[in-house]
Amino acid sequence: MSGGSIVRTGTGFSLHRVHLHDSWVDGDASRHDAEGFGLYDLTVENDRITRIVPSGAASEGAQNDLRRRVVMPAFVDCHTHLDKGHIWPRQPNPDGSFPGALEAVGADRAANWSAEDIEARMEFALKCAYAYGTKAIRTHLDSLPPQETISWPVFEAMRERWAGRIDLQAACLFGIDTGRDEAWFKTLVDRVRNAGGVLGAVTFMVPDLDELLDMVFRAAIENQLQLDFHADETDALEAVSLRKIAEAAKRHGYEDRILIGHCCSLARQPDDEVLRTLDAVADCNISVVSLPMCNMYLQDRRSDGTTPRWRGVTLLHEMKARGINVCVASDNTRDPFYAYGDLDMVEVYRMATRTIQFDHPVADWPKSVFANPARAMGLDENYGRLAEGGPADFVICEGRSWTEVLSRPESGRIVVRDGAVIDRALPAYDELDHLME
Ligand SMILES: [Zn+2]
């Protein structure tokens, strides 16, 4: 093996001495090192992994001896906003605050979000995600009227265009109070169902939150839709919509998948309140996704020139301890909710490790960007793991251990999809310049 190439023999290749982690391979974990890595030889035929065996003496110095480089499954990014992405040059956040983000995005949406505009920015974002090694993405789509009539057809076309490279899902996004217009809400539900989408909303502590949640759950049950909420993206102690959603799920006997993002306020609440909420959540089919990059950017932003004092992320350790399915994801990229980002799940996992302390021990935290989001999105067991008989979709890192993988940008990683090394060239920023005038 030299540079970015893998020596092939016939219809496949073998990689020798790769480091696989016990959170993504069914190996003998007792053979693995203290960080959870074991040395394996991995064989690919056509587009499948045909063999994963512990490395032996003959592996050393063999063709494609990767000398302990980490090989990860392709990533699953379960919470993004492809429709908002990359508008920063024409619509920055004036002060880095959450209200500033809402207002800025609202103005840009009204002024600029034509089908052509959204399509070009989505295409750009998907090229980036693909080049970094991501295989499945769920995006939220701002669905306030009339935007839903523009964005959903674009999403459906993009899902088709990207099939086989990135599996795309979409969830509608609207302030739950907008659902008081029941006639409009019904048209949105029809649109989401017809597009094979997920029913989503942003919850706020409005006085009629329970009634509005009842309406959403009834629609989900009648139309057999999965649910995806933005909840409690605030430091306000009184924000308990995570618990309200869990209570509504219970009330309606809803057993399909629910994914809930953010839940920032939970980290600010007293222990008895937290325990009450976690009890309710653990009792439902709820997955939680934390968005460490966006939350660090927006939460505890102060206008008085003082320094932020909390991290903005939710209580993933406590949730995981209770068996709740926990994930981390990209969220926004280069838009008023987050000025940076490029849909690189290595960056997301690195930030999560620092912010949420996914270490000491690492344990199975890597599942938060692999098998866990796959489960939250209802993808099959081939996603987020490496197994004999599974697809040959994986990322060959430069690093050989967690400290090496997470200390550099991994810009020399090799991405293999369907058994072949892909072109990892990122699109140039100037591809979007014509939209930024
Ligand atoms: Zn979001």
Side-chain angles (χ1 to χ4, degrees):
M1 162 137 199
S2 60
S5 64
I6 294 171
V7 180
R8 302 179 69 95
T9 42
T11 54
F13 56 87
S14 286
L15 303 178
H16 297 281
R17 295 205 301 155
V18 298
H19 251 167
L20 305 182
H21 196 259
D22 47 35
S23 63
W24 63 72
V25 69
D26 289 334
D28 174 6
S30 68
R31 286 182 54 258
H32 293 191
D33 64 19
E35 289 197 314
F37 287 109
L39 267 186
Y40 290 88
D41 290 357
L42 184 153
T43 302
V44 169
E45 277 296 327
N46 299 311
D47 59 352
R48 316 302 288 181
I49 296 171
T50 53
R51 198 156 171 263
I52 298 178
V53 294
S55 300
S59 307
E60 192 166 347
Q63 198 173 58
N64 299 327
D65 177 0
L66 296 197
R67 298 185 297 177
R68 297 191 292 125
R69 287 173 69 170
V70 171
V71 174
M72 297 176 163
F75 300 106
V76 179
D77 199 347
C78 68
H79 183 126
T80 69
H81 294 266
L82 301 183
D83 58 344
K84 293 186 174 79
H86 301 284
I87 64 173
W88 185 271
R90 70 183 183 210
Q91 190 70 63
N93 185 325
D95 56 6
S97 71
F98 190 88
L102 268 185
E103 201 169 311
V105 164
D108 192 66
R109 188 195 310 119
N112 296 312
W113 289 21
S114 63
E116 296 73 23
D117 177 66
I118 294 170
E119 180 183 337
R121 291 184 292 99
M122 269 193 175
E123 179 77 17
F124 185 94
L126 289 167
K127 282 184 196 167
C128 299
Y130 182 68
Y132 289 120
T134 292
K135 181 178 176 177
I137 291 180
R138 177 177 291 178
T139 182
H140 295 266
L141 295 176
D142 280 18
S143 294
L144 287 177
Q147 192 61 48
E148 79 279 28
T149 64
I150 303 166
S151 297
W152 278 86
V154 174
F155 157 73
E156 292 181 71
M158 298 300 279
R159 180 176 55 190
E160 181 86 28
R161 187 187 302 167
W162 277 82
R165 291 180 289 166
I166 292 182
D167 296 306
L168 259 184
Q169 296 184 354
C172 60
L173 186 64
F174 63 98
I176 196 158
D177 48 333
T178 311
R180 289 175 189 145
D181 180 347
E182 289 191 37
W184 169 78
F185 177 67
K186 194 184 171 320
T187 66
L188 179 65
V189 170
D190 289 345
R191 180 178 295 280
V192 169
R193 184 196 58 230
N194 293 338
V198 172
L199 187 57
V202 193
T203 53
F204 306 105
M205 295 306 293
V206 289
D208 53 345
L209 176 58
D210 287 332
E211 290 78 12
L212 291 165
L213 284 171
D214 284 340
M215 179 189 72
V216 170
F217 274 88
R218 274 196 303 272
I221 290 166
E222 279 164 21
N223 294 280
Q224 297 183 308
L225 294 170
Q226 295 179 32
L227 291 166
D228 193 326
F229 294 96
H230 279 66
D232 308 327
E233 192 176 357
T234 168
D235 62 356
L237 292 174
E238 62 275 19
V240 292
S241 63
L242 172 61
R243 185 165 75 229
K244 294 283 186 186
I245 293 165
E247 288 169 354
K250 205 76 192 155
R251 193 157 67 236
H252 289 269
Y254 180 87
E255 291 178 346
D256 209 343
R257 288 179 194 81
I258 307 171
L259 178 56
I260 306 182
H262 298 292
C263 314
C264 307
S265 63
L266 192 67
R268 309 265 293 162
Q269 290 161 351
D271 286 352
D272 57 339
E273 185 91 359
V274 167
L275 293 176
R276 224 178 118 201
T277 295
L278 293 185
D279 282 344
V281 171
D283 206 25
C284 303
N285 190 2
I286 289 177
S287 299
V288 173
V289 57
S290 186
L291 299 309
M293 302 203 299
C294 190
N295 286 161
M296 286 280 273
Y297 177 78
L298 286 177
Q299 297 302 310
D300 208 13
R301 171 83 59 176
R302 293 152 180 246
S303 55
D304 60 358
T306 57
T307 309
R309 310 283 168 88
W310 73 298
R311 299 180 184 215
V313 290
T314 194
L315 305 182
L316 291 196
H317 287 270
E318 291 83 343
M319 292 176 177
K320 181 164 170 283
R322 279 168 181 257
I324 296 166
N325 186 43
V326 293
C327 316
V328 290
S330 289
D331 211 7
N332 301 69
T333 46
R334 300 183 65 243
D335 69 41
F337 284 89
Y338 183 54
Y340 318 105
D342 208 20
L343 298 182
D344 177 5
M345 292 300 281
V346 171
E347 187 191 13
V348 171
Y349 189 75
R350 181 191 304 121
M351 183 64 112
T353 295
R354 293 166 175 166
T355 314
I356 318 174
Q357 299 183 341
F358 282 180
D359 45 18
H360 309 290
V362 171
D364 62 350
W365 282 114
K367 283 186 176 171
S368 63
V369 291
F370 298 120
N372 293 0
R375 182 175 146 203
M377 289 171 66
L379 302 170
D380 70 43
E381 60 175 22
N382 282 317
Y383 290 80
R385 62 195 283 266
L386 297 177
E388 292 180 350
D393 296 329
F394 49 80
V395 178
I396 304 173
C397 299
E398 295 173 285
R400 301 165 300 169
S401 60
W402 288 118
T403 180
E404 291 185 359
V405 168
L406 298 178
S407 296
R408 289 184 180 169
E410 280 292 339
S411 38
R413 78 189 79 165
I414 297 166
V415 175
V416 173
R417 295 294 311 275
D418 296 318
V421 175
I422 67 161
D423 176 5
R424 284 203 58 244
L426 291 166
Y429 284 128
D430 67 12
E431 284 186 21
L432 295 177
D433 282 356
H434 68 286
L435 301 171
M436 298 300 143
E437 281 139 21

